[in-house]
Amino acid sequence: MPHTPIPNIPGVLLTDPTTKQHLSSHVSSLCGLSSNKFPGAQPVSFSAQSLDLLETMDFWVCEKSDGIRLLIFVVMNGMTGNQEVWLIDRKQQFYQVDNLHFPHWERASDPLTDTVLDGELVIDIDPKTGTQVLRYYAFDCLVLNGDNIMKKTLISRFGRLREWVVKPFERALRDLPEWRDNLPFEVVAKKQELSYNISQVLNVHIPQLQHGHDGLIFTCAESEYFPGTDEKILKWKPPSENSIDFKIELRFPPSNNPKEPDFFAKPEFLLHTWLGGNAHEYFDEMDISDEEWDEIKQSGEQLDDRIVEVCWDADRGTWKILRMRDDKPNANHKDIMYKIIASIQDGVEIDALISRSEAIRTAWKAREAARRGTAPPAQQVKRPPPAQVPMPPTPGARGSVGPGSGLPPTPSGAPAGVMAGLKR
């Protein structure tokens, strides 16, 4: 299914700094964090080494949806005695949502409180009628009714999410139709499969989707929830579709008046990576054709100083814009960017992923038997040979690299061998 629109965040944006500070501190305290930062976990890009990791640990797999990453925060207002539901985005902005009620899993008349869910909000489009439905696909739970469960395994956390949050929520909607009639969006538990059931996701789950998708997410079922970059959450995309978020800068040439740029001329499209805080560093320039520039001008869309998601176009030897990411506060960090580039060069095609499924299943079953104390004799698993992934063209193959060549020099500190084919 093609990409679907990224939804606008529903609710009312919280602008009062005192209330925002109070809520941020409360969420951080519940999650055991020392600072008021976005507590969500972030995946790393899938590489050839990730296949070995899938054989050594239990992972779950699901499709990667086109949507916006949001936490749901459920809390009781101490002054009003009412349950409040807030959405928290990556920028640590809070949006209050009305007409969304979460009951306690045992005492339906009691409201849930101090609960933090992780998921993504998507627009589902009925293929027959074209009707659009806003749905929140919850895939994890950090805190449940004041109990921090981040140290528990994903198996345990997801079980609580499904049985103690989503199912009581669905029962309440059946018992109280007026709640359903006024829902700002639906809340469901996202479908997951064991990692060796990749074909089930590709052949059953994805064809039934009513929203766009752009890859797979593998999450370690044995691990605790880790805020920030988590090496055990793997984001798979075909190598040619692996994307990076940059901050884009449009640099226009001077006009006849040397003090003013020529805004009618085609600018340079400079891509910057994030260094942390407010610091960014120039990384590369993106080639935009005259036709593409005309389309940008006609659209009237402002590109400068925004976060842009791009992928490498091997045919043209340059970056290609996929979409603007106004939902993200920063570009990918420099370290993450290099890892994504490495995953593009060391990427795994879907055929290689599927062909490894049997080895992943065999290793999983062996661990399962060992946990039961009935481990069978070790078997030699034949693995398919690594797929030969075509590499992007090496920079400088058609000319020199460096000052005066139109190709930016490799940034200092770049990992050896990472830049080939992507840094022009």
Side-chain angles (χ1 to χ4, degrees):
M1 185 174 185
H3 288 294
T4 46
I6 301 297
N8 294 321
I9 301 177
V12 179
L13 175 64
L14 176 62
T15 57
D16 178 63
T18 302
T19 305
K20 182 179 179 181
Q21 174 65 26
H22 170 73
L23 291 177
S24 296
S25 298
H26 190 42
V27 171
S28 296
S29 176
L30 289 171
C31 295
L33 302 178
S34 58
S35 61
N36 295 345
K37 65 177 184 179
F38 182 72
Q42 307 293 341
V44 298
S45 294
F46 200 99
S47 67
Q49 292 180 337
S50 302
L51 290 170
D52 296 331
L53 186 59
L54 294 184
E55 282 194 39
T56 58
M57 301 187 74
D58 295 351
F59 275 77
W60 288 358
V61 60
C62 64
E63 53 87 17
K64 182 178 179 295
S65 302
D66 276 345
I68 183 168
R69 173 79 174 282
L70 294 168
L71 302 182
I72 287 181
F73 175 42
V74 184
V75 65
M76 293 298 294
N77 186 314
M79 297 181 64
T80 66
N82 295 326
Q83 184 188 71
E84 293 181 351
V85 178
W86 297 85
L87 299 177
I88 310 173
D89 67 8
R90 299 173 193 259
K91 300 177 182 178
Q92 198 70 354
Q93 300 284 354
F94 285 73
Y95 297 79
Q96 187 171 10
V97 180
D98 293 330
N99 299 316
L100 199 60
H101 310 277
F102 290 93
H104 192 276
W105 61 92
E106 290 181 332
R107 303 179 301 277
S109 59
D110 291 346
L112 208 58
T113 187
D114 287 345
T115 296
V116 181
L117 310 179
D118 196 354
E120 50 203 349
L121 190 68
V122 308
I123 298 175
D124 276 341
I125 303 176
D126 189 300
K128 295 181 179 179
T129 65
T131 302
Q132 295 189 2
V133 177
L134 201 58
R135 285 194 178 96
Y136 183 85
Y137 286 84
F139 50 70
D140 215 325
C141 180
L142 289 69
V143 184
L144 180 59
N145 214 46
D147 182 17
N148 184 318
I149 60 174
M150 295 165 64
K151 294 294 184 182
K152 297 183 181 296
T153 64
L154 174 62
I155 297 172
S156 178
R157 299 194 310 270
F158 190 81
R160 284 166 168 77
L161 166 68
R162 185 178 55 200
E163 300 298 326
W164 294 358
V165 179
V166 175
K167 285 188 176 180
F169 174 79
E170 292 172 340
R171 284 196 298 269
L173 295 183
R174 289 195 297 267
D175 296 340
L176 300 167
E178 63 272 19
W179 281 14
R180 173 172 289 281
D181 293 342
N182 295 305
L183 272 183
F185 52 82
E186 297 181 6
V187 178
V188 298
K190 188 163 188 176
K191 289 183 179 179
Q192 306 280 345
E193 289 287 346
L194 306 184
S195 58
Y196 54 81
N197 285 331
I198 300 167
S199 295
Q200 180 77 2
V201 177
L202 296 174
N203 300 327
V204 178
H205 292 194
I206 288 179
Q208 295 175 353
L209 292 179
Q210 296 183 354
H211 55 261
H213 62 91
D214 61 349
L216 303 172
I217 294 289
F218 293 85
T219 307
C220 184
E222 307 174 41
S223 296
E224 62 187 56
Y225 191 98
F226 185 80
T229 302
D230 188 343
E231 300 288 339
K232 293 179 182 176
I233 303 178
L234 311 172
K235 176 180 65 177
W236 177 88
K237 292 184 180 183
S240 60
E241 297 178 15
N242 233 325
S243 60
I244 301 177
D245 297 328
F246 287 109
K247 186 175 184 179
I248 190 169
E249 176 192 356
L250 272 59
R251 186 171 295 176
F252 291 85
S255 64
N256 293 332
N257 181 349
K259 295 183 179 181
E260 294 183 2
D262 183 359
F263 290 112
F264 293 97
K266 186 172 73 172
E268 295 176 336
F269 292 79
L270 309 183
L271 302 176
H272 298 262
T273 186
W274 184 47
L275 302 179
N278 295 320
H280 292 80
E281 178 180 86
Y282 168 76
F283 174 71
D284 202 359
E285 183 176 348
M286 178 171 57
D287 287 337
I288 295 291
S289 68
D290 292 341
E291 292 77 11
E292 290 172 322
W293 173 235
D294 287 339
E295 291 178 3
I296 292 172
K297 288 190 294 184
Q298 291 173 8
S299 72
E301 185 175 15
Q302 172 71 27
L303 299 186
D304 190 51
D305 203 35
R306 291 171 68 185
I307 305 301
V308 60
E309 181 181 355
V310 303
C311 68
W312 180 254
D313 187 337
D315 293 334
R316 295 175 56 206
T318 187
W319 300 98
K320 177 176 67 175
I321 294 178
L322 295 177
R323 54 180 169 170
M324 308 308 295
R325 296 307 304 260
D326 295 328
D327 59 310
K328 296 189 175 182
N330 300 299
N332 285 132
H333 191 275
K334 183 177 181 178
D335 295 341
I336 299 299
M337 178 201 66
Y338 283 133
K339 290 181 180 179
I340 297 175
I341 290 176
S343 74
I344 296 174
Q345 297 182 320
D346 188 30
V348 177
E349 296 290 353
I350 190 62
D351 290 344
L353 193 57
I354 294 173
S355 65
R356 196 70 173 261
S357 297
E358 186 57 35
I360 295 171
R361 182 182 185 278
T362 299
W364 181 302
K365 294 299 182 182
R367 289 191 300 274
E368 195 172 56
R371 287 192 288 264
R372 293 197 305 263
T374 58
Q379 297 181 355
Q380 190 71 25
V381 179
K382 289 187 177 181
R383 297 186 181 89
Q388 297 298 315
V389 180
M391 304 300 290
T394 301
R398 290 170 291 182
S400 61
V401 177
S405 66
L407 304 174
T410 301
S412 60
V418 165
M419 307 310 301
L422 297 178
K423 195 76 166 66
R424 297 172 296 105

